[in-house]
Amino acid sequence: MRILLLCHAFNSLTQRLFVELTGQGHDVSVEFDINDETSIEAVQLFKPELIIAPYLKRAIPEIIWKNTISLIVHPGIIGDRGPSALDWAILTDQKEWGVTVLQANAEMDGGDIWASVNFAMRKATKASLYRNEVTEATVKAIKEAIQKIQQPGSAPLPLEQANAAGQQQPMMQQADRRIDWQRDSTATIIRKVQCADGFPGVKSKLLGSEVYLYDVHPAPGLNGQSGHIIGRNDNAICIATADSAVWIGHLKDKNNRHPFKLPAVQVLGEKIKDVPIINNEDPAGLQPIHYSAQDGIGYLSFNFYNGAMDSEQCLQLQQALIQARQQPTQMIVLLGGEDFWSNGMHLNRIEAAPSAADESWRNINAMDNLALEIIHTDAQLVISALNGNAGAGGVFLARAADEVWARQGIILNPHYKDMGNLYGSEYWTYLLPRHAGEEHAAKISQARLPMGVREAQSLGLVDKAVDVERANWRQQIQQLCKQYTNPGPGQPSIEQRLLHKRQRRAADEASKPLAQYRSEELEKMKRNFYGFDPSYHMARYNFVHKVPRSRTPLTLAKHRRRVQ
């Protein structure tokens, strides 16, 4: 079918649908719903057989839905209506939730039902649930709806005839999420922050400043005067609750000269200089970087908020990898985080730095140092195991390992160009041709589209596609590792793999030193950061400050390429 994805932005859910539907052979184009005229023009140009709206913030114009079947993805169970569906489900501690695919009509969320898929609610942030359970349910529901639409005589189920368990819900306000630090339990506070993460955050007052709270975690065993900051670490603050305490990793102060999400310690600055430091190794401390070993295999996780890695985090992870290499293991598995493996440089930290160019330079060199440490690991086989999405430099950082294993369903964005034609580093000019070949390397580096795991595997960006449920990922990775440490007949031993690895690295170094790749990449990055062309700085500013797009990129809007 010819399908138009009409969306407010090309978010993770829309990207997944784009990859899935394109992979099924559908002719898919994308249009950002900037205004009625633009959306109507897109329909006239593309003449879609079907319109899918996975992420909209306003109603589809009547002239569109009256003439073309238009499917609305609503992140709620049948009967649920309103713009805060997932927020209310988390706040009210629902055990089961779902996604409903409705046909657009004159009534918001009141159209006939083409499909619905329910899922068990996980204790997680709104953003995490949306990126995982909601996305998986949406893919299933959209595929089911398309199958029905393609069947002659099929019709959607009128809402009034459905067994609707949901109800109309108002838009959630800050008053609904307001934290009563004197009375609210830790569990209640966590739900309130989680239902607002990543947007809009929970408004609260800390040390005289009105801020928005994000990135909440329990702090078991800690307590103090409710509502008071009782501890801090490198980035997060610990606040006492009525029954314990919580860690808050990120804040936003709209009155600050940098009114976007930043690490809590950075936002509060001098106000918390006398707050005691709680070491991350403390049982109640946060552990964004964690190492464990089992059966001769080391597992290194790094759960950084939104997958962004600042200079200090890169250094900390590099040191953790060096320590992991000193352990008596045969393999090291780089697990990444719960929702992202890595998205590369920390653009928010860069934007807030006294010199964005200097911090960009510092951050990319820290990323390169980490990538170099992975490449130089020669006593263990290194596996990048991607259970979550990865983008930009994070994809190439993963490729620095000997093998990349990725869970089916995640999305990769292996390109930098959308960030103001950023050239990129992390030794990608060495790693891509080595693993993917010159032709595929050119295709990967020049593209600006999201990529599914199957395509990434066909291009050499991923070595092993793992079809397993997200919850069973760690167990599946352990089983796959055991096949390497205990190989069957005809399979190479770890010692043979390591010998080949060292020989290949020595030959590559003799052909062209890694230092030369790095120097050439960074020379081009220096122009991005310090040169006359401000494209990178403008693109980063727009990204960090959430400046809406004024048009749909031609890489997505194929219907507009035809009229250029």
Side-chain angles (χ1 to χ4, degrees):
M1 295 185 77
R2 195 162 56 254
I3 299 174
L4 178 68
L5 295 180
L6 186 62
C7 54
H8 175 74
F10 200 45
N11 67 349
S12 60
L13 171 57
T14 311
Q15 290 182 31
R16 176 70 185 280
L17 279 178
F18 178 87
V19 168
E20 292 283 346
L21 296 175
T22 302
Q24 284 194 320
H26 297 290
D27 185 10
V28 183
S29 194
V30 179
E31 183 70 36
F32 291 167
D33 180 44
I34 294 166
N35 52 49
D36 284 0
E37 292 75 18
T38 303
S39 297
I40 292 168
E41 182 184 55
V43 173
Q44 291 171 343
L45 288 171
F46 192 52
K47 297 179 175 54
E49 301 168 84
L50 177 66
I51 295 170
I52 300 175
Y55 171 50
L56 281 184
K57 289 192 173 183
R58 62 192 204 99
I60 294 177
E62 182 177 354
I63 193 173
I64 292 179
W65 60 256
K66 272 196 169 180
N67 292 287
T68 307
I69 295 177
S70 302
L71 302 182
I72 305 293
V73 175
H74 179 70
I77 56 176
I78 293 177
D80 179 86
R81 297 173 66 183
S84 303
L86 205 51
D87 309 53
W88 286 112
I90 295 170
L91 188 63
T92 57
D93 202 18
Q94 297 296 312
K95 306 305 178 191
E96 184 178 82
W97 203 239
V99 165
T100 306
V101 175
L102 311 153
Q103 184 163 332
N105 63 11
E107 198 172 359
M108 205 71 167
D109 298 334
D112 296 343
I113 299 164
W114 279 102
S116 66
V117 174
N118 284 9
F119 55 82
M121 283 286 282
R122 179 169 50 92
K123 301 289 186 184
T125 66
K126 176 173 65 173
S128 179
L129 287 165
Y130 185 88
R131 197 175 293 112
N132 293 286
E133 283 84 351
V134 169
T135 295
E136 292 296 337
T138 297
V139 170
K140 292 177 184 176
I142 286 293
K143 288 181 178 178
E144 179 184 332
I146 290 174
Q147 284 183 338
K148 290 179 180 177
I149 289 169
Q150 290 178 317
Q151 293 172 0
S154 291
L157 178 69
L159 179 59
E160 58 270 16
Q161 296 179 20
N163 183 19
Q167 58 186 346
Q168 176 78 43
Q169 297 273 25
M171 175 178 283
M172 187 176 287
Q173 306 295 327
Q174 284 295 338
D176 300 308
R177 314 180 205 262
R178 187 182 67 84
I179 295 173
D180 185 338
W181 292 103
Q182 306 303 315
R183 293 192 178 95
D184 284 350
S185 66
T186 294
T188 298
I189 291 171
I190 287 176
R191 284 202 308 276
K192 287 182 174 180
V193 178
Q194 285 183 334
C195 79
D197 200 329
F199 178 84
V202 173
K203 188 187 292 186
S204 188
K205 198 161 228 180
L206 293 178
L207 303 177
S209 296
E210 191 173 79
V211 294
Y212 291 78
L213 279 54
Y214 308 86
D215 188 18
V216 64
H217 307 270
L222 294 181
N223 53 67
Q225 187 175 350
S226 299
H228 284 238
I229 299 173
I230 60 173
R232 63 186 171 95
N233 67 3
D234 294 339
N235 292 309
I237 57 173
C238 187
I239 307 176
T241 66
D243 61 352
S244 183
V246 293
W247 285 100
I248 299 293
H250 283 73
L251 299 173
K252 179 167 67 178
D253 183 349
K254 291 186 176 180
N255 296 315
N256 192 291
R257 61 189 295 258
H258 303 301
F260 44 81
K261 289 182 201 174
L262 287 167
V265 168
Q266 183 178 359
V267 172
L268 297 176
E270 288 294 308
K271 293 181 180 180
I272 57 171
K273 65 179 181 179
D274 296 325
V275 172
I277 296 174
I278 298 174
N279 193 290
N280 286 343
E281 300 306 316
D282 187 293
L286 279 183
Q287 293 184 324
I289 299 175
H290 179 73
Y291 176 81
S292 63
Q294 183 179 354
D295 300 326
I297 303 161
Y299 298 92
L300 185 58
S301 62
F302 38 102
N303 195 27
F304 300 136
Y305 188 62
N306 286 342
M309 300 170 66
D310 65 30
S311 304
E312 283 73 23
Q313 288 168 329
C314 290
L315 176 59
Q316 291 166 1
L317 185 54
Q318 180 188 356
Q319 292 171 338
L321 176 59
I322 292 171
Q323 292 176 1
R325 290 196 319 212
Q326 295 168 358
Q327 306 306 310
T329 59
Q330 295 179 299
M331 298 177 68
I332 296 175
V333 182
L334 305 176
L335 291 169
E338 295 175 1
D339 288 305
F340 297 97
W341 197 87
S342 170
N343 280 325
M345 294 194 303
H346 200 309
L347 299 179
N348 284 37
R349 292 296 296 265
I350 291 170
E351 184 68 22
S355 167
D358 288 350
E359 186 53 38
S360 297
W361 183 253
R362 184 167 170 254
N363 203 162
I364 194 61
N365 274 282
M367 291 285 294
D368 281 359
N369 291 340
L370 175 56
L372 187 63
E373 211 68 62
I374 296 172
I375 295 169
H376 278 165
T377 300
D378 61 3
Q380 290 106 341
L381 200 67
V382 182
I383 307 294
S384 290
L386 281 62
N387 189 28
N389 298 346
V395 177
F396 302 112
L397 184 68
R399 189 60 277 182
D402 301 305
E403 293 191 18
V404 178
W405 302 348
R407 179 175 60 84
Q408 281 284 21
I410 70 166
I411 294 297
L412 305 177
N413 276 283
H415 51 84
Y416 307 89
K417 287 184 175 295
D418 280 349
M419 193 51 60
N421 285 314
L422 198 63
Y423 187 77
S425 194
E426 295 94 10
Y427 300 91
W428 74 265
T429 53
Y430 164 66
L431 295 167
L432 268 194
R434 177 188 168 186
H435 292 281
E438 295 288 350
E439 183 180 344
H440 286 169
K443 180 177 180 180
I444 293 167
S445 62
Q446 295 304 312
R448 298 191 183 200
L449 294 174
M451 187 181 295
V453 171
R454 288 292 184 208
E455 182 183 1
Q457 185 181 29
S458 71
L459 294 173
L461 196 59
V462 164
D463 298 292
K464 194 184 297 291
V466 185
D467 194 2
V468 66
E469 293 292 326
R470 181 179 182 274
N472 300 327
W473 173 251
R474 180 67 179 267
Q475 182 181 1
Q476 183 65 28
I477 290 302
Q478 290 173 340
Q479 292 176 358
L480 290 172
C481 286
K482 287 178 182 178
Q483 294 175 13
Y484 279 46
T485 56
N486 299 289
Q491 297 298 313
S493 66
I494 283 284
E495 290 76 14
Q496 290 171 322
R497 290 180 185 272
L498 289 173
L499 177 61
H500 175 74
K501 170 182 178 175
R502 288 190 286 267
Q503 291 173 337
R504 175 68 185 271
R505 176 83 281 282
D508 288 349
E509 187 69 15
S511 174
K512 182 177 178 178
L514 285 172
Q516 187 176 342
Y517 287 101
R518 178 169 179 164
S519 176
E520 291 169 355
E521 291 171 0
L522 290 181
E523 184 61 33
K524 291 185 174 151
M525 292 289 273
K526 187 176 288 187
R527 293 175 198 164
N528 291 133
F529 300 155
Y530 296 101
F532 291 108
D533 184 355
S535 299
Y536 158 69
H537 296 290
M538 292 172 62
R540 187 195 63 249
Y541 177 92
N542 290 340
F543 175 84
V544 171
H545 290 269
K546 303 292 190 291
V547 176
R549 293 265 197 165
S550 59
R551 64 179 182 85
T552 310
L554 295 181
T555 48
L556 300 176
K558 64 166 62 174
H559 52 282
R560 297 195 179 277
R561 297 201 295 265
R562 295 170 180 170
V563 296
Q564 293 301 307

